[in-house]
Amino acid sequence: MEKTLDQVTILFAGNSGDGIQLIGNQFTHTAAWMGNGVNTFPDFPAEIRAPHGTIAGVSGFQVHFGSVEISSPGDLCDVLVVMNAAALKKHLSNLKKYGIIIADNSGFIAKKVLLAGYPEEQNPLKKLSDYKIYKIDFLAQTRQLLKESPLSKKDKDTAKNMFALGFIYWLYNRPLDHTEQYLNKKFQGHAELLQANIQALKAGYHFGETSESFTERFTVGPAKMKPGLYRNITGNQALALGLIAACKKASLELFYASYPITPASDILHHLSRYKNFSVKTFQAEDEIAAITSAIGASYAGNLGVTATSGPGMALKQEGLGLALMLELPLVIINVQRGGPSTGLPTKTEQADLMQALHGRNGEAPMPVLAARSPAHCFQTIFHAVKIAIEHMTPVIVLSEGYLANGTEPWRFPQRSQLNNITPHRPKNHTGKPYQPYQRDTRGVRPWIVPGMIGYENRIGSLEKKHLSGDVSYDPKNHQLMIDLRQNKIDKIAESLPKQQIDTGMAEGKLLILSWGSTYGVIRAAIKQLLIDAYPVSHTHLEYLYPLPYGLKELISCFEKVLIPELNNGQLIHIIRDRFLIDAIPLNKVQGIPFTVAEIVEKVRQIIRYGPQKHKERNQNYNEKDYTNNNE
């Protein structure tokens, strides 16, 4: 029997090394290829050799796909695929009641049950009565299938992940083509490995067809999207492509320098593949070398870019101040992770906002932008480059671990859809002594490249004399230069889009104000609340400094403001200080995103009298087109 569903959440879990991230990504790419809306949440240990069989060593990958708008990785999953007892223990609470458990029997022998921390030497699957449990011995099936293969025992056993993936493809009516193409490319030149993995993939699919234990299959249709060319993309991939696109629009070469750090390292990996677009990549010996070499590239006329995570940002602070004093374009990406110190390297967090805004000595204002989804990282970094180049300033872009590794469909933009980026070059030299800090009406000085005859000027980190750029210790000049640099950043707000309501009504009982990765889950929660006729609306900040115009007026139209953050409350301090309102916090610092249920529950606590079930309120529900999230 086949059943049609509008959305499904599957959680794959097993040992780090079981290939969980691989099969999760393959299922995701296949779903996107079939036109589904997709959102994912990879979760894996920080250790290179995480302890097998223990909860600390569990790697997970949650994928939410459907024929409707998908803006979050889902709350509770419909299907939990577990390779061992530890994966079950860690993630059972993430499964819906009466949900499906697909378990690899080989991961539930007595030794592995005890290693997972269960109190008794007994298979925990036998105690679960509120779920549909299907026990399949992926390992035994794979070993039997590959018994004649010349591969090592380890390589044969590793192929069990393909058997599991093939079965899930059968369960949800997914084709094998996309994964077969991937395997052909991955194992090119390794015929035995290629044959073994494709055999296992097909065997898992056929197992579903021939087994009498499974009487139900599921179908999920494509989502309604605008016509165009789409690809599945991670946040780090989107950042890389956005940087290249922006440099092409500005007719500049890109110089990217970084020191390896989770979860930002992949940006370097992606950009290193695009040398044909005049991209130069440099793996520096430390964070300080990375940012100062990027500053040097901008001084030489390229666009300098560097990326890191929270600990690396702490080391880059002096370099940030140097770039600001020089008034050169520079883009700094912080892919935030759990802190403080080295904290939780593979877990997501939003705790670096105050660091981005104030983490420098002296009065050193610089624009700060934050991406809201994996696909939106492209748009965010493109705008950041435009601001950096056209306003001659370093710009900080905040991403997060969840966005960096998570995926969603992204529609390729046409070149004509991307804004032009115009470097602010000096005008024709008149022969008069050149004033390198002569500013235009926006307070922006020209970008002078070494070797330009007649434009020689002094450079350095000491305070500049107004106009000439000579070193100056004059108190009044210092005050003037501080004010001029601040005024330049303030004027950027004039070029930003006016803040608007994303979902809901223009005025009412409660406004949810968000930033960063909380966007998608809040959007999903708002949809649910509006269906229940709760008087609640949502607006999302992409520009955190300077704040966009219209925010004050928008906030004033609501009785209360709720600010959910994956930190202990940072944006809320800025909003309270700037607008003198007693905003309500909702904070979570667990290394994982909010769930829709957490947002909904908080709103219900605030609006205690319950929903106003009036048809006219539902009629005012203003849901944006699905693809607006991804452009």
Side-chain angles (χ1 to χ4, degrees):
M1 181 179 73
E2 289 198 7
K3 184 177 181 180
T4 300
L5 304 173
D6 59 2
Q7 56 185 306
V8 176
T9 301
I10 301 175
L11 174 55
F12 299 91
N15 281 324
S16 179
D18 278 344
I20 297 300
Q21 302 302 317
L22 172 61
I23 62 175
N25 272 305
Q26 283 302 301
F27 189 92
T28 300
H29 292 320
T30 297
W33 187 47
M34 295 184 69
N36 297 136
V38 181
N39 198 288
T40 68
F41 178 55
D43 181 39
F44 43 88
E47 293 83 1
I48 295 175
R49 292 181 177 86
H52 277 206
T54 68
I55 291 177
V58 172
S59 175
F61 191 104
Q62 184 160 308
V63 52
H64 183 197
F65 65 104
S67 58
V68 295
E69 178 183 349
I70 303 294
S71 61
S72 78
D75 284 6
L76 299 178
C77 60
D78 302 286
V79 180
L80 177 60
V81 183
V82 289
M83 296 296 195
N84 58 28
L88 177 70
K89 188 170 187 180
K90 180 175 180 178
H91 290 297
L92 183 60
S93 61
N94 300 115
L95 180 62
K96 293 177 181 177
K97 194 173 183 179
Y98 307 120
I100 298 173
I101 297 175
I102 299 172
D104 180 5
N105 241 353
S106 66
F108 289 83
I109 60 176
K111 178 183 177 181
K112 295 184 178 180
V113 168
L114 287 173
L115 196 58
Y118 282 101
E120 300 176 12
E121 191 174 332
Q122 183 179 356
N123 191 330
L125 294 171
K126 296 178 180 179
K127 298 182 178 181
L128 303 177
S129 58
D130 292 337
Y131 308 96
K132 295 179 182 178
I133 301 174
Y134 299 105
K135 292 178 282 188
I136 308 171
D137 203 326
F138 295 140
L139 185 60
Q141 293 276 352
T142 305
R143 284 178 175 175
Q144 177 63 26
L145 175 71
L146 303 177
K147 63 182 180 180
E148 303 298 332
S149 172
L151 293 175
S152 67
K153 180 176 177 294
K154 180 183 177 182
D155 286 337
K156 291 178 184 178
D157 289 355
T158 302
K160 73 174 184 179
N161 65 346
M162 285 295 121
F163 188 97
L165 179 61
F167 173 73
I168 299 300
Y169 279 157
W170 172 83
L171 191 61
Y172 283 94
N173 276 300
R174 313 272 105 174
L176 305 181
D177 308 47
H178 187 278
T179 298
E180 288 187 46
Q181 291 172 16
Y182 166 82
L183 292 173
N184 274 286
K185 184 176 180 180
K186 179 178 176 63
F187 295 118
Q188 188 175 9
H190 302 278
E192 292 85 0
L193 283 171
L194 174 61
Q195 183 181 9
N197 280 274
I198 288 183
Q199 275 186 290
L201 179 72
K202 292 180 176 179
Y205 191 93
H206 295 317
F207 179 84
E209 286 185 327
T210 57
S211 174
E212 297 180 358
S213 302
F214 305 94
T215 58
E216 193 173 46
R217 293 179 76 189
F218 306 99
T219 299
V220 179
K224 294 180 180 179
M225 299 185 186
K226 287 183 178 179
L229 182 63
Y230 285 81
R231 64 162 285 181
N232 205 40
I233 199 167
T234 68
N236 279 348
Q237 290 170 340
L239 288 172
L241 293 177
L243 286 169
I244 295 170
C247 284
K248 286 299 177 184
K249 292 294 286 188
S251 298
L252 294 174
E253 293 189 359
L254 171 63
F255 179 87
Y256 179 86
S258 71
Y259 178 74
I261 185 171
T262 302
S265 299
D266 276 347
I267 303 172
L268 174 64
H269 303 156
H270 295 311
L271 282 172
S272 66
R273 302 167 185 164
Y274 291 99
K275 294 181 177 64
N276 56 313
F277 287 113
S278 301
V279 175
K280 304 180 186 74
T281 54
F282 169 53
Q283 182 173 311
E285 64 268 28
D286 56 42
E287 297 285 6
I288 299 170
I291 189 169
T292 50
S293 61
I295 292 171
S298 289
Y299 175 66
N302 295 174
L303 175 67
V305 182
T306 185
T308 186
S309 190
M313 284 295 287
L315 295 170
K316 292 183 188 290
Q317 298 302 345
E318 185 178 0
L320 284 169
L322 173 61
L324 180 131
M325 184 64 85
L326 300 176
E327 298 190 51
L328 284 171
L330 181 73
V331 176
I332 309 96
I333 303 167
N334 179 0
V335 186
Q336 299 167 95
R337 71 187 204 188
S341 187
T342 47
L344 304 172
T346 60
K347 309 302 178 184
T348 198
E349 204 164 275
Q350 289 183 310
D352 295 348
L353 176 57
M354 287 299 187
Q355 181 191 46
L357 294 172
H358 306 297
R360 296 165 290 283
N361 62 299
E363 296 293 335
M366 58 185 65
V368 179
L369 288 71
R372 72 188 185 200
S373 74
H376 187 253
C377 286
F378 178 93
Q379 179 179 321
T380 303
I381 199 71
F382 188 94
H383 288 173
V385 171
K386 183 176 175 65
I387 291 171
I389 291 173
E390 295 187 345
H391 294 270
M392 292 293 287
T393 178
V395 178
I396 295 175
V397 173
L398 296 176
S399 180
E400 302 163 40
Y402 160 48
L403 301 183
N405 298 312
T407 58
E408 67 178 352
W410 171 62
R411 189 173 71 155
F412 277 89
Q414 298 296 318
R415 184 182 177 89
S416 59
Q417 295 173 320
L418 299 176
N419 293 328
N420 291 324
I421 300 177
T422 307
H424 186 42
R425 302 295 190 190
K427 296 180 179 179
N428 294 331
H429 189 48
T430 61
K432 297 179 181 179
Y434 178 65
Q435 303 286 3
Y437 284 85
Q438 178 74 52
R439 302 171 187 274
D440 65 12
T441 56
R442 302 167 301 153
V444 180
R445 82 174 190 92
W447 190 358
I448 305 156
V449 177
M452 296 176 67
I453 298 174
Y455 294 98
E456 297 82 1
N457 64 94
R458 188 177 297 224
I459 201 79
S461 60
L462 293 172
E463 182 59 281
K464 307 285 183 285
K465 184 178 180 181
H466 179 47
L467 298 179
S468 72
D470 295 337
V471 175
S472 173
Y473 295 102
D474 178 74
K476 291 185 178 180
N477 178 78
H478 180 54
Q479 178 75 62
L480 174 63
M481 295 300 286
I482 291 291
D483 293 343
L484 286 173
R485 288 190 288 261
Q486 182 66 61
N487 180 67
K488 179 179 74 170
I489 302 304
D490 291 342
K491 279 185 171 292
I492 292 173
E494 297 175 3
S495 65
L496 303 182
K498 186 177 180 180
Q499 190 68 27
Q500 296 181 344
I501 292 294
D502 181 85
T503 310
M505 296 166 291
E507 59 182 22
K509 186 77 175 178
L510 177 67
L511 174 69
I512 300 181
L513 174 62
S514 62
W515 72 278
S517 69
T518 58
Y519 173 84
V521 70
I522 292 172
R523 181 173 172 85
I526 287 285
K527 288 176 62 180
Q528 181 176 324
L529 289 161
L530 290 174
I531 289 171
D532 291 338
Y534 277 87
V536 59
S537 299
H538 177 212
T539 189
H540 186 83
L541 286 174
E542 298 173 18
Y543 303 93
L544 295 161
Y545 193 82
L547 291 171
Y549 291 139
L551 182 59
K552 180 179 180 180
E553 293 76 13
L554 191 153
I555 288 175
S556 66
C557 295
F558 294 85
E559 295 180 27
K560 297 180 180 180
V561 176
L562 171 66
I563 302 180
E565 299 183 78
L566 296 176
N567 55 48
N568 262 352
Q570 296 192 17
L571 176 63
I572 195 168
H573 290 300
I574 298 164
I575 298 301
R576 284 172 171 172
D577 175 70
R578 180 75 177 270
F579 302 114
L580 301 179
I581 63 166
D582 189 18
I584 302 167
L586 176 58
N587 305 120
K588 182 176 182 179
V589 197
Q590 300 175 18
I592 55 177
F594 282 109
T595 64
V596 173
E598 287 170 334
I599 304 297
V600 169
E601 178 59 26
K602 185 64 176 181
V603 170
R604 287 173 176 166
Q605 290 175 7
I606 296 170
I607 308 177
R608 294 182 180 277
Y609 58 80
Q612 299 179 15
K613 295 185 178 297
H614 298 305
K615 291 182 179 179
E616 61 270 19
R617 214 175 263 288
N618 281 336
Q619 289 171 354
N620 286 329
Y621 172 35
N622 178 29
E623 181 180 351
K624 291 187 174 181
D625 185 271
Y626 170 76
T627 51
N628 285 356
N629 287 341
N630 307 318
E631 297 179 354

